[in-house]
Amino acid sequence: MMWHITLAAAASSVLAGISLTAAHPQATPALPTQNETLVSPFDLSQVQLTSSRWMENQNRTLSYLKFIDVSRMLYVFRQNHKLPTQGAAKNGGWDAPDFPFRGHFQGHLLTAWAQCWQTTGDAVCKHRALSFVTELATCQANNAAAGWNKGYLNAFSENDFTLMEQGKLSSGVPYYVIHKTMAGLLDVWLALNSSTAKTVLLELGGWVDARTAKLSTEQMQRVLGTEHGGMVAVLADVYFATGDKKWLTVAQRFEHQAVINPLANSQDQLNGLHANTQIPKWIGALRQFKATGAAKYKTIASNAWNMVVGAHTYAIGSNSQAEHFKPPNAIAQYLKNDAGESCNTYNMLKLTRELWTLDPANVGLADYYERALLNQMLGQQNPTDAHGHVTYFHSLQPGARRGVGPAWGGGTWSTDYDSFWCCQGTGTETHTKFADSIYFHDESALYINLFTPSTLNWSQRGVIVTQSTAFPVSDTSTVKLSANNGGSSNWDFTMKIRIPGWAVGAAVTVNGQGITGVKSGSYASISRTWAVGDTVTINLPMTFRLLRANDNKSLAAIAYGPTVLVGNYGNTAVAEAPQLKLDSLKRTSNTVLAFSGTAGDKNASLQPYYDGQGINYVTYWLVQGSLPA
Ligand SMILES: *[C@@H]1O[C@H](CO)[C@@H](O)[C@H](O)[C@H]1NC(C)=O
Ligand SMILES: *[C@@H]1O[C@H](CO)[C@@H](O)[C@H](O)[C@H]1NC(C)=O
Ligand SMILES: *[C@@H]1O[C@H](CO)[C@@H](O)[C@H](O)[C@H]1NC(C)=O
Ligand SMILES: *[C@@H]1O[C@H](CO)[C@@H](O)[C@H](O)[C@H]1NC(C)=O
Ligand SMILES: *[C@@H]1O[C@H](CO)[C@@H](O)[C@H](O)[C@H]1NC(C)=O
Ligand SMILES: *[C@@H]1O[C@H](CO)[C@@H](O)[C@H](O)[C@H]1NC(C)=O
């Protein structure tokens, strides 16, 4: 077991710019420091996926969320708060009663149930979210009898905090679990207007405040040596949700100087650090920037993003090997079975999304978002499993087989009750929020960032935006406008469409008329008075692309447009990267993403990485020659 080096994290999925109207009855509290000039996401309840590979993944995760035995999930909380466990079976894996990450998964469940409710209106998810919060409130209310202080809520003894403050805690991640719980409670509060979730959250936050207020800066920095997830981020989010500045003070106590100071000074000192312990700290810095406007926080986050994406990232958008960052640009020697922890990318996506809202002309940020989401995250799930189980790592070793690996738990698919890894937790969130970053808006513009079949109810404007596409199998997406509730109207706004850096010769038409100024790596901008029935067609021609290892230019992955391809080796073992003749590559179907090429003098077939389950595959090749013209 390697749990001491293992982790995950999550900031709340709630962004400052959340909008106020929703398809399902709910009330998102007004956020005090919302800056109207900034780009904001839509509330998840305003965007619905329509039939696609994305929705298939979402459906499988939703079935797990509605299946999972809630009383089992309460076991470690009830036990720690000295309540009867009501005959529930104990979980295995990371939720086993003696496991040092026990209790972390429950916060992810709260978030995922809230997202399920928002995006599908599913009453089972709503009921589960609300009743689970009620049970957590009961645990918290038993603190006096349990011997814990007011507000405490965790699956660990409060004594573990004393040990941690003294630098003597030998295992366990008590603040990591508190972060997950707070983030889940906040999401249920905001998505379902649950006053119980709000009360439990603020009581627990009050406990965190009381516990940390007593510590010297030095003691607190010692506490931060133990993995603590997104404590800064969630406390900043509590500030956004309440308007109470006290929470920013508490958030500030969790700033981990040893990690953020080098980043503020533009120094890449990531080598050797546990990757996913750090990424939530950068999300926290960005939340603090949004709350305070202090420039150093934005510098920390954007430096971290540039370093990770530029010098520590593999073709599919993943980073790390054996959960750790390596020296800058060291890629080739780390294409291993335990490369690319899923949680890291879940967190990099949050970081990217937040950075992009501050810099919405930056297509590079949104291009990374697409790359990591389409390749790694969509491919994380086992499509043959009705519960949508996921993988922890993303092997890049020649002949890798997803979900079947030599490594402990991480190499295999997750299970119903015996895994509960960090990446299974973040996976329940990822696969229920594919709708959250397709569209954004500001005062005057609608942004289309992703080409995902979906419907946006832009209720603030009374317009319904329907996007139809088989992207990335097809290179064309069609966006059609209609009026909410059958009305008819005209709307003045600018439509800004991401023209990805990979697109060559892109074209956009409005009602069949081509528009000018369409350039890859920029936003195509259309300002007009829009009317019911207006149709925008976006054509993004795809070509083969080489994604070379930074440190070995003859080792490369192949992409077709946004899609990273893998060689399908069936059940054949592959010992080393095959030599691929680049000029032999060709697409062999117009209806699916299927390709052929000559590799090691044999005919190889290639397909999307995201569909590379149940086969031995090759992601990085020893490339020869040049791509077909
Ligand atoms: C769009 O959202 C508004 C506000 O929540 C709602 O009244 C309306 O029915 C929704 N329209 C559709 C087509 O879902
Ligand atoms: C949200 O909850 C509060 C208090 O529980 C209640 O006063 C308010 O009416 C609710 N809002 C909506 C839209 O349901
Ligand atoms: C809002 O954001 C814009 C753009 O970043 C900035 O110029 C402006 O000062 C911000 N306003 C407030 C009140 O923070
Ligand atoms: C997902 O599930 C919904 C509800 O059961 C169903 O209507 C839809 O067809 C499913 N879509 C896909 C792509 O599986
Ligand atoms: C690049 O990787 C290949 C395959 O592992 C290896 O044969 C070659 O020596 C490497 N080249 C360099 C410059 O490291
Ligand atoms: C390789 O196989 C594909 C189908 O798997 C086929 O379309 C292609 O023509 C083959 N190429 C050669 C050179 O045999």
Side-chain angles (χ1 to χ4, degrees):
M1 284 295 181
M2 302 161 75
W3 61 72
H4 55 290
I5 61 159
T6 300
L7 61 67
S12 162
S13 60
V14 176
L15 285 173
I18 224 156
S19 54
L20 303 178
T21 346
H24 311 298
Q26 57 178 291
T28 304
L31 298 167
T33 59
Q34 182 168 337
N35 183 335
E36 292 299 335
T37 67
L38 293 180
V39 174
S40 303
F42 287 94
D43 192 284
L44 197 49
S45 61
Q46 293 180 262
V47 187
Q48 261 99 53
L49 298 183
T50 50
S51 217
S52 66
R53 184 72 167 69
W54 304 99
M55 195 188 198
E56 290 168 13
N57 274 29
Q58 175 176 285
N59 277 7
R60 286 184 283 265
T61 297
L62 293 181
S63 74
Y64 179 59
L65 292 176
K66 294 194 273 180
F67 152 87
I68 196 168
D69 179 344
V70 172
S71 63
R72 290 182 72 145
M73 302 317 297
L74 285 164
Y75 188 101
V76 292
F77 279 92
R78 284 173 167 161
Q79 183 185 52
N80 191 49
H81 289 264
K82 314 284 192 294
L83 289 169
T85 51
Q86 306 193 6
K90 294 174 195 174
N91 285 328
W94 289 27
D95 200 46
D98 59 353
F99 197 87
F101 277 72
R102 62 186 177 273
H104 81 99
F105 197 83
Q106 290 75 347
H108 291 295
L109 277 178
L110 290 175
T111 295
W113 282 325
Q115 290 177 172
C116 164
W117 161 249
Q118 287 183 292
T119 195
T120 67
D122 188 291
V124 175
C125 287
K126 175 185 178 178
H127 174 75
R128 288 186 157 216
L130 293 177
S131 59
F132 203 85
V133 166
T134 303
E135 296 300 335
L136 291 179
T138 307
C139 291
Q140 197 180 43
N142 205 46
N143 277 346
W148 307 143
N149 283 306
K150 182 171 160 20
Y152 190 58
L153 181 62
N154 208 334
F156 294 92
S157 160
E158 228 182 306
N159 301 331
D160 286 357
F161 288 85
T162 309
L163 292 171
M164 189 162 54
E165 287 154 9
Q166 295 168 347
K168 292 180 187 158
L169 184 67
S170 57
S171 88
V173 287
Y175 273 122
Y176 179 90
V177 173
I178 286 190
H179 159 238
K180 301 296 180 194
T181 307
M182 289 183 72
L185 289 165
L186 179 63
D187 288 342
V188 173
W189 167 24
L190 298 184
L192 289 149
N193 194 30
S194 161
S195 60
T196 310
K198 176 181 178 182
T199 305
V200 176
L201 169 68
L202 297 184
E203 293 258 316
L204 176 54
W207 179 91
V208 172
D209 180 17
R211 185 90 206 178
T212 53
K214 296 187 296 221
L215 302 183
S216 67
T217 304
E218 192 192 1
Q219 282 173 312
M220 193 64 207
Q221 291 299 310
R222 186 156 62 212
V223 165
L224 299 181
T226 299
E227 186 177 3
H228 52 277
M231 284 302 294
V232 172
V234 75
L235 287 161
D237 286 346
V238 173
Y239 157 70
F240 282 116
T242 59
D244 185 345
K245 287 216 151 117
K246 148 179 125 175
W247 300 112
L248 284 181
T249 308
V250 186
Q252 221 167 7
R253 294 183 199 137
F254 284 87
E255 288 175 15
H256 194 192
Q257 302 307 333
V259 170
I260 63 174
N261 290 348
L263 290 168
N265 298 323
S266 305
Q267 293 162 334
D268 183 342
Q269 295 184 3
L270 301 177
N271 183 23
L273 294 183
H274 185 256
N276 199 46
T277 296
Q278 320 313 328
I279 306 168
K281 297 171 189 170
W282 314 333
I283 299 168
L286 216 42
R287 305 301 291 142
Q288 287 181 297
F289 173 72
K290 286 194 174 173
T292 66
K296 77 164 181 186
Y297 292 125
K298 190 181 172 198
T299 303
I300 290 163
S302 59
N303 281 345
W305 191 93
N306 286 326
M307 286 171 200
V308 170
V309 175
H312 298 269
T313 292
Y314 306 112
I316 59 169
S318 58
N319 63 64
S320 80
Q321 186 260 324
E323 307 190 354
H324 285 64
F325 286 124
K326 303 299 172 188
N329 299 313
I331 299 291
Q333 73 198 93
Y334 297 110
L335 302 173
K336 301 269 175 76
N337 264 319
D338 53 358
E341 184 182 348
S342 297
C343 287
N344 303 11
T345 303
Y346 156 93
N347 277 311
M348 282 302 293
L349 288 170
K350 285 192 173 201
L351 181 70
T352 304
R353 184 176 190 256
E354 289 252 10
L355 272 172
W356 178 82
T357 63
L358 294 168
D359 189 8
N362 187 336
V363 172
L365 289 164
D367 281 358
Y368 170 78
Y369 199 96
E370 174 186 70
R371 164 154 72 119
L373 194 74
L374 174 68
N375 295 296
Q376 185 182 7
M377 294 288 92
L378 188 62
Q380 187 200 7
Q381 204 193 65
N382 180 359
T384 65
D385 183 309
H387 288 167
H389 282 300
V390 294
T391 192
Y392 192 118
F393 295 114
H394 287 253
S395 178
L396 296 170
Q397 190 161 295
R401 197 170 179 105
R402 204 167 312 154
V404 181
W408 61 286
T412 64
W413 297 117
S414 58
T415 58
D416 285 346
Y417 292 114
D418 290 303
S419 309
F420 295 117
W421 327 303
C422 52
C423 296
Q424 190 181 2
T426 52
T428 63
E429 296 188 26
T430 296
H431 298 271
T432 53
K433 62 166 177 175
F434 288 130
D436 83 341
S437 297
I438 306 169
Y439 308 101
F440 294 84
H441 64 97
D442 63 19
E443 284 174 320
S444 59
L446 171 70
Y447 287 82
I448 301 182
N449 264 7
L450 296 175
F451 307 102
T452 306
S454 55
T455 305
L456 162 68
N457 181 349
W458 194 3
S459 46
Q460 296 88 338
R461 294 271 190 155
V463 57
I464 306 282
V465 178
T466 304
Q467 187 178 182
S468 314
T469 180
F471 183 92
V473 176
S474 146
D475 62 7
T476 301
S477 187
T478 304
V479 173
K480 196 165 178 175
L481 303 186
S482 55
N484 198 3
N485 296 331
S488 76
S489 187
N490 295 320
W491 311 279
D492 288 315
F493 64 87
T494 303
M495 190 183 290
K496 295 195 175 191
I497 301 164
R498 179 177 68 99
I499 307 299
W502 51 258
V504 178
V508 176
T509 63
V510 179
N511 301 328
Q513 298 286 100
I515 66 150
T516 56
V518 180
K519 264 202 352 254
S520 67
S522 69
Y523 279 84
S525 195
I526 313 166
S527 298
R528 58 187 262 137
T529 301
W530 298 92
V532 170
D534 279 351
T535 302
V536 178
T537 304
I538 305 152
N539 182 239
L540 304 170
M542 297 176 189
T543 57
F544 289 109
R545 299 186 302 130
L546 276 180
L547 307 174
R548 298 182 192 268
N550 298 21
D551 55 345
N552 184 340
K553 301 296 175 201
S554 54
L555 216 47
I558 309 294
Y560 186 71
T563 309
V564 174
L565 304 179
V566 292
N568 177 349
Y569 281 81
N571 294 322
T572 306
V574 184
E576 54 186 23
Q579 297 203 348
L580 178 68
K581 289 197 168 55
L582 292 174
D583 63 2
S584 71
L585 284 169
K586 61 175 193 247
R587 188 168 179 182
T588 55
S589 161
N590 291 325
T591 49
V592 294
L593 288 176
F595 306 84
S596 68
T598 308
D601 294 329
K602 296 203 183 76
N603 190 357
S605 57
L606 290 85
Q607 60 173 66
Y609 177 92
Y610 64 70
D611 275 336
Q613 300 87 7
I615 54 166
N616 296 346
Y617 62 86
V618 167
T619 312
Y620 277 86
W621 311 82
L622 205 49
V623 294
Q624 291 181 315
S626 47
L627 288 169

